PDB file of all heavy atoms in Angstrom:
ATOM      1  N   LYS Y 178     110.246  24.261  70.491  1.00  0.00           N
ATOM      2  CA  LYS Y 178     111.651  24.273  70.677  1.00  0.00           C
ATOM      3  C   LYS Y 178     112.243  25.761  70.668  1.00  0.00           C
ATOM      4  O   LYS Y 178     113.095  25.985  71.513  1.00  0.00           O
ATOM      5  CB  LYS Y 178     112.340  23.519  69.485  1.00  0.00           C
ATOM      6  CG  LYS Y 178     112.167  22.037  69.767  1.00  0.00           C
ATOM      7  CD  LYS Y 178     112.797  21.248  68.610  1.00  0.00           C
ATOM      8  CE  LYS Y 178     112.604  19.739  68.771  1.00  0.00           C
ATOM      9  NZ  LYS Y 178     113.026  19.036  67.647  1.00  0.00           N
ATOM     10  N   LEU Y 181     111.686  26.921  74.089  1.00  0.00           N
ATOM     11  CA  LEU Y 181     112.688  26.337  75.125  1.00  0.00           C
ATOM     12  C   LEU Y 181     114.006  27.104  74.995  1.00  0.00           C
ATOM     13  O   LEU Y 181     114.621  27.395  76.073  1.00  0.00           O
ATOM     14  CB  LEU Y 181     112.848  24.838  74.811  1.00  0.00           C
ATOM     15  CG  LEU Y 181     111.813  23.906  75.350  1.00  0.00           C
ATOM     16  CD1 LEU Y 181     112.074  22.484  74.811  1.00  0.00           C
ATOM     17  CD2 LEU Y 181     111.814  23.911  76.852  1.00  0.00           C
ATOM     18  N   VAL Y 182     114.457  27.292  73.839  1.00  0.00           N
ATOM     19  CA  VAL Y 182     115.703  28.079  73.663  1.00  0.00           C
ATOM     20  C   VAL Y 182     115.634  29.478  74.186  1.00  0.00           C
ATOM     21  O   VAL Y 182     116.446  29.944  74.976  1.00  0.00           O
ATOM     22  CB  VAL Y 182     116.131  28.071  72.165  1.00  0.00           C
ATOM     23  CG1 VAL Y 182     117.439  28.917  71.944  1.00  0.00           C
ATOM     24  CG2 VAL Y 182     116.370  26.704  71.620  1.00  0.00           C
ATOM     25  N   ARG Y 185     115.572  29.551  78.019  1.00  0.00           N
ATOM     26  CA  ARG Y 185     116.893  29.358  78.616  1.00  0.00           C
ATOM     27  C   ARG Y 185     117.710  30.678  78.512  1.00  0.00           C
ATOM     28  O   ARG Y 185     118.297  31.127  79.415  1.00  0.00           O
ATOM     29  CB  ARG Y 185     117.692  28.242  77.913  1.00  0.00           C
ATOM     30  CG  ARG Y 185     118.959  27.903  78.627  1.00  0.00           C
ATOM     31  CD  ARG Y 185     119.920  27.242  77.720  1.00  0.00           C
ATOM     32  NE  ARG Y 185     120.671  28.238  76.908  1.00  0.00           N
ATOM     33  CZ  ARG Y 185     121.795  28.884  77.389  1.00  0.00           C
ATOM     34  NH1 ARG Y 185     122.265  28.491  78.566  1.00  0.00           N
ATOM     35  NH2 ARG Y 185     122.382  29.723  76.622  1.00  0.00           N
ATOM     36  N   ARG Y 192     118.837  36.577  85.351  1.00  0.00           N
ATOM     37  CA  ARG Y 192     119.223  36.175  86.681  1.00  0.00           C
ATOM     38  C   ARG Y 192     120.587  36.765  87.058  1.00  0.00           C
ATOM     39  O   ARG Y 192     120.982  36.700  88.198  1.00  0.00           O
ATOM     40  CB  ARG Y 192     119.274  34.666  86.901  1.00  0.00           C
ATOM     41  CG  ARG Y 192     117.966  34.111  87.302  1.00  0.00           C
ATOM     42  CD  ARG Y 192     118.124  32.694  87.772  1.00  0.00           C
ATOM     43  NE  ARG Y 192     118.929  31.881  86.963  1.00  0.00           N
ATOM     44  CZ  ARG Y 192     118.848  30.590  86.693  1.00  0.00           C
ATOM     45  NH1 ARG Y 192     117.842  30.039  87.306  1.00  0.00           N
ATOM     46  NH2 ARG Y 192     119.699  29.985  85.963  1.00  0.00           N
ATOM     47  N   GLU Y 380     128.589  29.375  72.278  1.00  0.00           N
ATOM     48  CA  GLU Y 380     128.079  28.081  71.928  1.00  0.00           C
ATOM     49  C   GLU Y 380     129.097  27.299  71.063  1.00  0.00           C
ATOM     50  O   GLU Y 380     129.209  26.102  71.145  1.00  0.00           O
ATOM     51  CB  GLU Y 380     126.701  28.088  71.370  1.00  0.00           C
ATOM     52  CG  GLU Y 380     125.716  28.474  72.433  1.00  0.00           C
ATOM     53  CD  GLU Y 380     124.294  28.497  71.850  1.00  0.00           C
ATOM     54  OE1 GLU Y 380     124.076  28.473  70.633  1.00  0.00           O
ATOM     55  OE2 GLU Y 380     123.348  28.573  72.673  1.00  0.00           O
ATOM     56  N   ASN Y 383     132.312  26.575  73.146  1.00  0.00           N
ATOM     57  CA  ASN Y 383     131.984  25.500  74.153  1.00  0.00           C
ATOM     58  C   ASN Y 383     131.705  24.172  73.402  1.00  0.00           C
ATOM     59  O   ASN Y 383     131.615  23.160  74.113  1.00  0.00           O
ATOM     60  CB  ASN Y 383     130.662  25.823  74.877  1.00  0.00           C
ATOM     61  CG  ASN Y 383     130.962  26.681  76.111  1.00  0.00           C
ATOM     62  OD1 ASN Y 383     132.095  26.863  76.444  1.00  0.00           O
ATOM     63  ND2 ASN Y 383     129.909  27.172  76.726  1.00  0.00           N
ATOM     64  N   ARG Y 384     131.499  24.210  72.209  1.00  0.00           N
ATOM     65  CA  ARG Y 384     131.245  23.061  71.403  1.00  0.00           C
ATOM     66  C   ARG Y 384     129.855  22.428  71.705  1.00  0.00           C
ATOM     67  O   ARG Y 384     129.662  21.225  71.449  1.00  0.00           O
ATOM     68  CB  ARG Y 384     132.340  21.939  71.590  1.00  0.00           C
ATOM     69  CG  ARG Y 384     133.679  22.394  71.339  1.00  0.00           C
ATOM     70  CD  ARG Y 384     134.019  22.379  69.909  1.00  0.00           C
ATOM     71  NE  ARG Y 384     135.317  23.013  69.625  1.00  0.00           N
ATOM     72  CZ  ARG Y 384     135.952  22.940  68.511  1.00  0.00           C
ATOM     73  NH1 ARG Y 384     135.426  22.268  67.448  1.00  0.00           N
ATOM     74  NH2 ARG Y 384     137.094  23.568  68.353  1.00  0.00           N
ATOM     75  N   ILE Y 385     129.042  23.140  72.365  1.00  0.00           N
ATOM     76  CA  ILE Y 385     127.681  22.660  72.648  1.00  0.00           C
ATOM     77  C   ILE Y 385     126.792  22.692  71.451  1.00  0.00           C
ATOM     78  O   ILE Y 385     125.737  21.966  71.424  1.00  0.00           O
ATOM     79  CB  ILE Y 385     127.118  23.228  73.872  1.00  0.00           C
ATOM     80  CG1 ILE Y 385     125.969  22.447  74.376  1.00  0.00           C
ATOM     81  CG2 ILE Y 385     126.602  24.715  73.529  1.00  0.00           C
ATOM     82  CD1 ILE Y 385     125.423  22.777  75.668  1.00  0.00           C
ATOM     83  N   GLU Y 387     126.854  21.587  68.540  1.00  0.00           N
ATOM     84  CA  GLU Y 387     126.552  20.354  67.787  1.00  0.00           C
ATOM     85  C   GLU Y 387     125.511  19.461  68.563  1.00  0.00           C
ATOM     86  O   GLU Y 387     124.648  18.819  67.925  1.00  0.00           O
ATOM     87  CB  GLU Y 387     127.775  19.516  67.570  1.00  0.00           C
ATOM     88  CG  GLU Y 387     127.546  18.499  66.503  1.00  0.00           C
ATOM     89  CD  GLU Y 387     128.837  17.894  65.878  1.00  0.00           C
ATOM     90  OE1 GLU Y 387     129.915  18.425  66.154  1.00  0.00           O
ATOM     91  OE2 GLU Y 387     128.683  16.844  65.163  1.00  0.00           O
ATOM     92  N   VAL Y 388     125.606  19.497  69.793  1.00  0.00           N
ATOM     93  CA  VAL Y 388     124.609  18.804  70.641  1.00  0.00           C
ATOM     94  C   VAL Y 388     123.242  19.415  70.452  1.00  0.00           C
ATOM     95  O   VAL Y 388     122.182  18.718  70.162  1.00  0.00           O
ATOM     96  CB  VAL Y 388     124.978  18.841  72.127  1.00  0.00           C
ATOM     97  CG1 VAL Y 388     123.811  18.191  73.003  1.00  0.00           C
ATOM     98  CG2 VAL Y 388     126.260  18.131  72.415  1.00  0.00           C
ATOM     99  N   ILE Y 389     123.145  20.740  70.460  1.00  0.00           N
ATOM    100  CA  ILE Y 389     121.893  21.431  70.208  1.00  0.00           C
ATOM    101  C   ILE Y 389     121.395  21.150  68.810  1.00  0.00           C
ATOM    102  O   ILE Y 389     120.277  20.883  68.597  1.00  0.00           O
ATOM    103  CB  ILE Y 389     122.083  23.011  70.477  1.00  0.00           C
ATOM    104  CG1 ILE Y 389     122.772  23.180  71.789  1.00  0.00           C
ATOM    105  CG2 ILE Y 389     120.707  23.671  70.301  1.00  0.00           C
ATOM    106  CD1 ILE Y 389     121.881  23.439  72.938  1.00  0.00           C
ATOM    107  N   ALA Y 390     122.394  21.150  67.885  1.00  0.00           N
ATOM    108  CA  ALA Y 390     121.934  21.024  66.481  1.00  0.00           C
ATOM    109  C   ALA Y 390     121.372  19.636  66.164  1.00  0.00           C
ATOM    110  O   ALA Y 390     120.657  19.333  65.198  1.00  0.00           O
ATOM    111  CB  ALA Y 390     123.105  21.200  65.521  1.00  0.00           C
ATOM    112  N   SER Y 391     121.645  18.693  67.066  1.00  0.00           N
ATOM    113  CA  SER Y 391     121.123  17.306  66.961  1.00  0.00           C
ATOM    114  C   SER Y 391     119.707  17.228  67.514  1.00  0.00           C
ATOM    115  O   SER Y 391     119.072  16.258  67.381  1.00  0.00           O
ATOM    116  CB  SER Y 391     121.984  16.225  67.562  1.00  0.00           C
ATOM    117  OG  SER Y 391     121.875  16.271  69.006  1.00  0.00           O
ATOM    118  N   SER Y 392     119.273  18.338  68.060  1.00  0.00           N
ATOM    119  CA  SER Y 392     117.887  18.399  68.593  1.00  0.00           C
ATOM    120  C   SER Y 392     116.975  19.485  67.945  1.00  0.00           C
ATOM    121  O   SER Y 392     115.771  19.308  67.829  1.00  0.00           O
ATOM    122  CB  SER Y 392     117.902  18.697  70.157  1.00  0.00           C
ATOM    123  OG  SER Y 392     118.728  17.805  70.804  1.00  0.00           O
ATOM    124  N   VAL Y 393     117.611  20.599  67.604  1.00  0.00           N
ATOM    125  CA  VAL Y 393     116.792  21.676  66.940  1.00  0.00           C
ATOM    126  C   VAL Y 393     117.432  22.088  65.619  1.00  0.00           C
ATOM    127  O   VAL Y 393     118.610  21.943  65.403  1.00  0.00           O
ATOM    128  CB  VAL Y 393     116.693  22.868  67.918  1.00  0.00           C
ATOM    129  CG1 VAL Y 393     116.090  22.560  69.204  1.00  0.00           C
ATOM    130  CG2 VAL Y 393     118.026  23.559  68.133  1.00  0.00           C
ATOM    131  N   LYS Y 394     116.596  22.697  64.797  1.00  0.00           N
ATOM    132  CA  LYS Y 394     117.159  23.232  63.536  1.00  0.00           C
ATOM    133  C   LYS Y 394     117.920  24.478  63.843  1.00  0.00           C
ATOM    134  O   LYS Y 394     117.537  25.255  64.707  1.00  0.00           O
ATOM    135  CB  LYS Y 394     115.996  23.529  62.616  1.00  0.00           C
ATOM    136  CG  LYS Y 394     115.246  22.425  62.011  1.00  0.00           C
ATOM    137  CD  LYS Y 394     114.258  22.946  61.009  1.00  0.00           C
ATOM    138  CE  LYS Y 394     113.304  21.858  60.597  1.00  0.00           C
ATOM    139  NZ  LYS Y 394     112.052  22.422  59.989  1.00  0.00           N
ATOM    140  N   LEU Y 586     128.661  25.148  62.447  1.00  0.00           N
ATOM    141  CA  LEU Y 586     129.393  23.884  62.474  1.00  0.00           C
ATOM    142  C   LEU Y 586     130.760  24.034  61.749  1.00  0.00           C
ATOM    143  O   LEU Y 586     131.463  22.985  61.698  1.00  0.00           O
ATOM    144  CB  LEU Y 586     128.503  22.834  61.751  1.00  0.00           C
ATOM    145  CG  LEU Y 586     127.301  22.410  62.477  1.00  0.00           C
ATOM    146  CD1 LEU Y 586     126.468  21.485  61.598  1.00  0.00           C
ATOM    147  CD2 LEU Y 586     127.559  21.752  63.772  1.00  0.00           C
ATOM    148  N   LYS Y 599     129.187  31.962  49.368  1.00  0.00           N
ATOM    149  CA  LYS Y 599     128.944  30.630  49.040  1.00  0.00           C
ATOM    150  C   LYS Y 599     128.025  29.872  50.000  1.00  0.00           C
ATOM    151  O   LYS Y 599     127.215  29.073  49.619  1.00  0.00           O
ATOM    152  CB  LYS Y 599     130.313  29.863  49.026  1.00  0.00           C
ATOM    153  CG  LYS Y 599     130.984  29.901  47.608  1.00  0.00           C
ATOM    154  CD  LYS Y 599     132.201  29.012  47.593  1.00  0.00           C
ATOM    155  CE  LYS Y 599     133.160  29.506  46.607  1.00  0.00           C
ATOM    156  NZ  LYS Y 599     134.617  29.204  46.931  1.00  0.00           N
TER     157      LYS Y 599
ATOM    158  N   GLU Q  91     132.187  22.348  48.944  1.00  0.00           N
ATOM    159  CA  GLU Q  91     132.934  23.068  47.884  1.00  0.00           C
ATOM    160  C   GLU Q  91     133.400  21.960  46.839  1.00  0.00           C
ATOM    161  O   GLU Q  91     132.551  21.348  46.235  1.00  0.00           O
ATOM    162  CB  GLU Q  91     134.055  23.890  48.454  1.00  0.00           C
ATOM    163  CG  GLU Q  91     133.534  24.764  49.593  1.00  0.00           C
ATOM    164  CD  GLU Q  91     134.115  26.131  49.753  1.00  0.00           C
ATOM    165  OE1 GLU Q  91     135.142  26.443  49.073  1.00  0.00           O
ATOM    166  OE2 GLU Q  91     133.509  26.900  50.453  1.00  0.00           O
ATOM    167  N   ARG Q 124     126.828  13.144  61.165  1.00  0.00           N
ATOM    168  CA  ARG Q 124     126.015  14.464  61.194  1.00  0.00           C
ATOM    169  C   ARG Q 124     124.767  14.309  60.295  1.00  0.00           C
ATOM    170  O   ARG Q 124     123.729  14.796  60.603  1.00  0.00           O
ATOM    171  CB  ARG Q 124     126.910  15.663  60.765  1.00  0.00           C
ATOM    172  CG  ARG Q 124     127.816  16.120  61.892  1.00  0.00           C
ATOM    173  CD  ARG Q 124     128.574  17.276  61.465  1.00  0.00           C
ATOM    174  NE  ARG Q 124     129.374  17.819  62.637  1.00  0.00           N
ATOM    175  CZ  ARG Q 124     130.279  18.810  62.481  1.00  0.00           C
ATOM    176  NH1 ARG Q 124     130.507  19.356  61.285  1.00  0.00           N
ATOM    177  NH2 ARG Q 124     130.928  19.174  63.529  1.00  0.00           N
ATOM    178  N   ILE Q 129     121.755  16.789  61.147  1.00  0.00           N
ATOM    179  CA  ILE Q 129     122.372  18.103  61.328  1.00  0.00           C
ATOM    180  C   ILE Q 129     122.792  18.667  59.936  1.00  0.00           C
ATOM    181  O   ILE Q 129     122.692  19.887  59.659  1.00  0.00           O
ATOM    182  CB  ILE Q 129     123.700  17.954  62.234  1.00  0.00           C
ATOM    183  CG1 ILE Q 129     123.161  17.524  63.621  1.00  0.00           C
ATOM    184  CG2 ILE Q 129     124.438  19.302  62.303  1.00  0.00           C
ATOM    185  CD1 ILE Q 129     124.317  17.182  64.565  1.00  0.00           C
ATOM    186  N   PRO Q 146     113.441  16.206  61.879  1.00  0.00           N
ATOM    187  CA  PRO Q 146     113.380  16.579  63.295  1.00  0.00           C
ATOM    188  C   PRO Q 146     112.773  15.421  64.082  1.00  0.00           C
ATOM    189  O   PRO Q 146     113.085  15.220  65.273  1.00  0.00           O
ATOM    190  CB  PRO Q 146     112.577  17.809  63.380  1.00  0.00           C
ATOM    191  CG  PRO Q 146     112.839  18.459  62.021  1.00  0.00           C
ATOM    192  CD  PRO Q 146     113.030  17.335  61.046  1.00  0.00           C
ATOM    193  N   GLN Q 149     115.281  12.840  64.916  1.00  0.00           N
ATOM    194  CA  GLN Q 149     116.288  13.271  65.857  1.00  0.00           C
ATOM    195  C   GLN Q 149     115.991  12.818  67.286  1.00  0.00           C
ATOM    196  O   GLN Q 149     116.845  12.581  68.076  1.00  0.00           O
ATOM    197  CB  GLN Q 149     116.399  14.776  65.850  1.00  0.00           C
ATOM    198  CG  GLN Q 149     117.200  15.363  64.656  1.00  0.00           C
ATOM    199  CD  GLN Q 149     117.346  16.821  64.695  1.00  0.00           C
ATOM    200  OE1 GLN Q 149     116.527  17.535  65.222  1.00  0.00           O
ATOM    201  NE2 GLN Q 149     118.463  17.275  64.141  1.00  0.00           N
ATOM    202  N   TYR Q 154     122.814  11.491  70.752  1.00  0.00           N
ATOM    203  CA  TYR Q 154     124.112  11.752  70.032  1.00  0.00           C
ATOM    204  C   TYR Q 154     125.117  12.455  70.880  1.00  0.00           C
ATOM    205  O   TYR Q 154     124.811  13.484  71.444  1.00  0.00           O
ATOM    206  CB  TYR Q 154     123.735  12.693  68.766  1.00  0.00           C
ATOM    207  CG  TYR Q 154     124.966  13.117  68.041  1.00  0.00           C
ATOM    208  CD1 TYR Q 154     125.967  12.289  67.671  1.00  0.00           C
ATOM    209  CD2 TYR Q 154     124.976  14.410  67.613  1.00  0.00           C
ATOM    210  CE1 TYR Q 154     127.074  12.766  66.980  1.00  0.00           C
ATOM    211  CE2 TYR Q 154     126.086  14.953  66.869  1.00  0.00           C
ATOM    212  CZ  TYR Q 154     127.122  14.055  66.631  1.00  0.00           C
ATOM    213  OH  TYR Q 154     128.132  14.614  65.888  1.00  0.00           O
ATOM    214  N   PRO Q 156     128.646  14.103  70.228  1.00  0.00           N
ATOM    215  CA  PRO Q 156     129.613  14.498  69.248  1.00  0.00           C
ATOM    216  C   PRO Q 156     131.052  14.309  69.794  1.00  0.00           C
ATOM    217  O   PRO Q 156     131.245  14.218  70.960  1.00  0.00           O
ATOM    218  CB  PRO Q 156     129.374  15.946  68.927  1.00  0.00           C
ATOM    219  CG  PRO Q 156     128.328  16.386  69.886  1.00  0.00           C
ATOM    220  CD  PRO Q 156     127.952  15.283  70.803  1.00  0.00           C
ATOM    221  N   GLU Q 158     133.487  16.510  69.532  1.00  0.00           N
ATOM    222  CA  GLU Q 158     133.857  17.697  70.376  1.00  0.00           C
ATOM    223  C   GLU Q 158     132.791  17.930  71.352  1.00  0.00           C
ATOM    224  O   GLU Q 158     131.735  18.408  70.973  1.00  0.00           O
ATOM    225  CB  GLU Q 158     133.970  18.847  69.460  1.00  0.00           C
ATOM    226  CG  GLU Q 158     135.004  18.782  68.275  1.00  0.00           C
ATOM    227  CD  GLU Q 158     136.399  19.054  68.892  1.00  0.00           C
ATOM    228  OE1 GLU Q 158     136.512  19.342  70.062  1.00  0.00           O
ATOM    229  OE2 GLU Q 158     137.360  18.977  68.064  1.00  0.00           O
ATOM    230  N   ARG Q 159     133.078  17.637  72.558  1.00  0.00           N
ATOM    231  CA  ARG Q 159     131.978  17.630  73.579  1.00  0.00           C
ATOM    232  C   ARG Q 159     131.977  19.009  74.207  1.00  0.00           C
ATOM    233  O   ARG Q 159     132.967  19.727  74.374  1.00  0.00           O
ATOM    234  CB  ARG Q 159     132.251  16.487  74.553  1.00  0.00           C
ATOM    235  CG  ARG Q 159     132.090  15.224  73.874  1.00  0.00           C
ATOM    236  CD  ARG Q 159     132.060  14.093  74.831  1.00  0.00           C
ATOM    237  NE  ARG Q 159     133.340  13.507  75.171  1.00  0.00           N
ATOM    238  CZ  ARG Q 159     134.031  12.748  74.443  1.00  0.00           C
ATOM    239  NH1 ARG Q 159     133.529  12.252  73.338  1.00  0.00           N
ATOM    240  NH2 ARG Q 159     135.147  12.219  74.915  1.00  0.00           N
ATOM    241  N   GLY Q 160     130.786  19.424  74.708  1.00  0.00           N
ATOM    242  CA  GLY Q 160     130.761  20.681  75.391  1.00  0.00           C
ATOM    243  C   GLY Q 160     129.392  20.886  75.967  1.00  0.00           C
ATOM    244  O   GLY Q 160     128.349  20.261  75.614  1.00  0.00           O
ATOM    245  N   LEU Q 161     129.418  21.738  77.106  1.00  0.00           N
ATOM    246  CA  LEU Q 161     128.148  22.095  77.794  1.00  0.00           C
ATOM    247  C   LEU Q 161     128.232  23.640  78.059  1.00  0.00           C
ATOM    248  O   LEU Q 161     129.378  24.182  77.882  1.00  0.00           O
ATOM    249  CB  LEU Q 161     128.096  21.291  79.099  1.00  0.00           C
ATOM    250  CG  LEU Q 161     127.919  19.787  78.969  1.00  0.00           C
ATOM    251  CD1 LEU Q 161     128.269  19.168  80.325  1.00  0.00           C
ATOM    252  CD2 LEU Q 161     126.535  19.362  78.513  1.00  0.00           C
ATOM    253  N   TYR Q 162     127.153  24.142  78.394  1.00  0.00           N
ATOM    254  CA  TYR Q 162     127.226  25.575  78.898  1.00  0.00           C
ATOM    255  C   TYR Q 162     127.946  25.606  80.258  1.00  0.00           C
ATOM    256  O   TYR Q 162     127.507  25.014  81.212  1.00  0.00           O
ATOM    257  CB  TYR Q 162     125.895  26.135  79.106  1.00  0.00           C
ATOM    258  CG  TYR Q 162     125.077  26.265  77.754  1.00  0.00           C
ATOM    259  CD1 TYR Q 162     124.005  25.440  77.442  1.00  0.00           C
ATOM    260  CD2 TYR Q 162     125.410  27.308  76.879  1.00  0.00           C
ATOM    261  CE1 TYR Q 162     123.392  25.596  76.240  1.00  0.00           C
ATOM    262  CE2 TYR Q 162     124.747  27.477  75.703  1.00  0.00           C
ATOM    263  CZ  TYR Q 162     123.687  26.648  75.366  1.00  0.00           C
ATOM    264  OH  TYR Q 162     123.006  26.842  74.202  1.00  0.00           O
ATOM    265  N   LYS Q 163     129.043  26.400  80.213  1.00  0.00           N
ATOM    266  CA  LYS Q 163     129.804  26.375  81.488  1.00  0.00           C
ATOM    267  C   LYS Q 163     129.184  27.028  82.605  1.00  0.00           C
ATOM    268  O   LYS Q 163     129.330  26.685  83.772  1.00  0.00           O
ATOM    269  CB  LYS Q 163     131.176  27.038  81.231  1.00  0.00           C
ATOM    270  CG  LYS Q 163     132.065  26.241  80.203  1.00  0.00           C
ATOM    271  CD  LYS Q 163     133.512  26.640  80.382  1.00  0.00           C
ATOM    272  CE  LYS Q 163     134.400  25.653  79.696  1.00  0.00           C
ATOM    273  NZ  LYS Q 163     134.020  25.526  78.295  1.00  0.00           N
ATOM    274  N   MET Q 165     126.064  27.249  83.385  1.00  0.00           N
ATOM    275  CA  MET Q 165     124.677  26.761  83.699  1.00  0.00           C
ATOM    276  C   MET Q 165     124.822  25.602  84.700  1.00  0.00           C
ATOM    277  O   MET Q 165     125.743  24.856  84.652  1.00  0.00           O
ATOM    278  CB  MET Q 165     124.033  26.256  82.432  1.00  0.00           C
ATOM    279  CG  MET Q 165     122.556  26.525  82.338  1.00  0.00           C
ATOM    280  SD  MET Q 165     121.994  26.054  80.710  1.00  0.00           S
ATOM    281  CE  MET Q 165     120.222  25.914  81.065  1.00  0.00           C
ATOM    282  N   GLU Q 169     119.752  22.165  85.640  1.00  0.00           N
ATOM    283  CA  GLU Q 169     119.042  22.960  84.571  1.00  0.00           C
ATOM    284  C   GLU Q 169     119.488  22.563  83.226  1.00  0.00           C
ATOM    285  O   GLU Q 169     118.784  22.498  82.245  1.00  0.00           O
ATOM    286  CB  GLU Q 169     119.290  24.392  84.833  1.00  0.00           C
ATOM    287  CG  GLU Q 169     118.588  24.873  86.120  1.00  0.00           C
ATOM    288  CD  GLU Q 169     118.980  26.351  86.446  1.00  0.00           C
ATOM    289  OE1 GLU Q 169     119.770  26.940  85.708  1.00  0.00           O
ATOM    290  OE2 GLU Q 169     118.413  26.902  87.406  1.00  0.00           O
ATOM    291  N   TYR Q 173     117.277  21.189  80.213  1.00  0.00           N
ATOM    292  CA  TYR Q 173     117.152  21.928  78.855  1.00  0.00           C
ATOM    293  C   TYR Q 173     117.340  21.008  77.735  1.00  0.00           C
ATOM    294  O   TYR Q 173     116.548  20.875  76.826  1.00  0.00           O
ATOM    295  CB  TYR Q 173     118.078  23.081  78.895  1.00  0.00           C
ATOM    296  CG  TYR Q 173     118.221  23.784  77.607  1.00  0.00           C
ATOM    297  CD1 TYR Q 173     117.212  24.461  77.052  1.00  0.00           C
ATOM    298  CD2 TYR Q 173     119.459  23.955  76.946  1.00  0.00           C
ATOM    299  CE1 TYR Q 173     117.344  25.185  75.832  1.00  0.00           C
ATOM    300  CE2 TYR Q 173     119.640  24.619  75.726  1.00  0.00           C
ATOM    301  CZ  TYR Q 173     118.525  25.240  75.228  1.00  0.00           C
ATOM    302  OH  TYR Q 173     118.699  25.948  74.077  1.00  0.00           O
ATOM    303  N   GLN Q 176     114.730  18.250  77.366  1.00  0.00           N
ATOM    304  CA  GLN Q 176     113.416  18.758  76.859  1.00  0.00           C
ATOM    305  C   GLN Q 176     113.544  19.128  75.380  1.00  0.00           C
ATOM    306  O   GLN Q 176     112.548  18.973  74.637  1.00  0.00           O
ATOM    307  CB  GLN Q 176     112.995  20.053  77.593  1.00  0.00           C
ATOM    308  CG  GLN Q 176     112.478  19.672  79.001  1.00  0.00           C
ATOM    309  CD  GLN Q 176     111.914  20.903  79.648  1.00  0.00           C
ATOM    310  OE1 GLN Q 176     110.906  21.544  79.282  1.00  0.00           O
ATOM    311  NE2 GLN Q 176     112.583  21.447  80.688  1.00  0.00           N
ATOM    312  N   LEU Q 177     114.696  19.554  74.934  1.00  0.00           N
ATOM    313  CA  LEU Q 177     114.897  19.822  73.473  1.00  0.00           C
ATOM    314  C   LEU Q 177     114.726  18.498  72.685  1.00  0.00           C
ATOM    315  O   LEU Q 177     114.347  18.580  71.559  1.00  0.00           O
ATOM    316  CB  LEU Q 177     116.273  20.351  73.257  1.00  0.00           C
ATOM    317  CG  LEU Q 177     116.529  21.906  73.559  1.00  0.00           C
ATOM    318  CD1 LEU Q 177     117.978  22.270  73.076  1.00  0.00           C
ATOM    319  CD2 LEU Q 177     115.541  22.722  72.885  1.00  0.00           C
ATOM    320  N   LYS Q 178     114.982  17.413  73.347  1.00  0.00           N
ATOM    321  CA  LYS Q 178     114.816  16.107  72.694  1.00  0.00           C
ATOM    322  C   LYS Q 178     113.373  15.725  72.795  1.00  0.00           C
ATOM    323  O   LYS Q 178     112.987  14.618  72.378  1.00  0.00           O
ATOM    324  CB  LYS Q 178     115.677  15.085  73.292  1.00  0.00           C
ATOM    325  CG  LYS Q 178     117.146  15.091  72.813  1.00  0.00           C
ATOM    326  CD  LYS Q 178     117.276  14.633  71.374  1.00  0.00           C
ATOM    327  CE  LYS Q 178     118.771  14.575  70.981  1.00  0.00           C
ATOM    328  NZ  LYS Q 178     118.867  14.319  69.606  1.00  0.00           N
ATOM    329  N   GLN Q 218     127.839  14.992  80.201  1.00  0.00           N
ATOM    330  CA  GLN Q 218     127.656  14.931  78.875  1.00  0.00           C
ATOM    331  C   GLN Q 218     126.998  13.615  78.434  1.00  0.00           C
ATOM    332  O   GLN Q 218     126.102  13.624  77.595  1.00  0.00           O
ATOM    333  CB  GLN Q 218     129.025  15.063  78.117  1.00  0.00           C
ATOM    334  CG  GLN Q 218     128.956  15.171  76.640  1.00  0.00           C
ATOM    335  CD  GLN Q 218     128.990  16.617  76.282  1.00  0.00           C
ATOM    336  OE1 GLN Q 218     129.822  17.372  76.705  1.00  0.00           O
ATOM    337  NE2 GLN Q 218     128.040  17.063  75.421  1.00  0.00           N
TER     338      GLN Q 218
END
Side-chain angles (χ1 to χ4, degrees):
Chain Y
K178 283 179 184 171
L181 280 169
V182 176
R185 189 203 82 86
R192 274 194 316 212
E380 285 182 352
N383 272 354
R384 307 275 172 169
I385 196 169
E387 194 166 350
V388 176
I389 309 269
S391 75
S392 306
V393 303
K394 286 185 193 161
L586 292 172
K599 269 187 204 150
Chain Q
E91 311 216 346
R124 284 180 174 172
I129 295 172
Q149 284 185 327
Y154 171 47
E158 298 281 1
R159 299 191 269 278
L161 296 164
Y162 291 108
K163 288 202 172 55
M165 214 173 163
E169 290 175 357
Y173 174 59
Q176 284 185 69
L177 281 185
K178 282 287 185 189
Q218 187 96 48

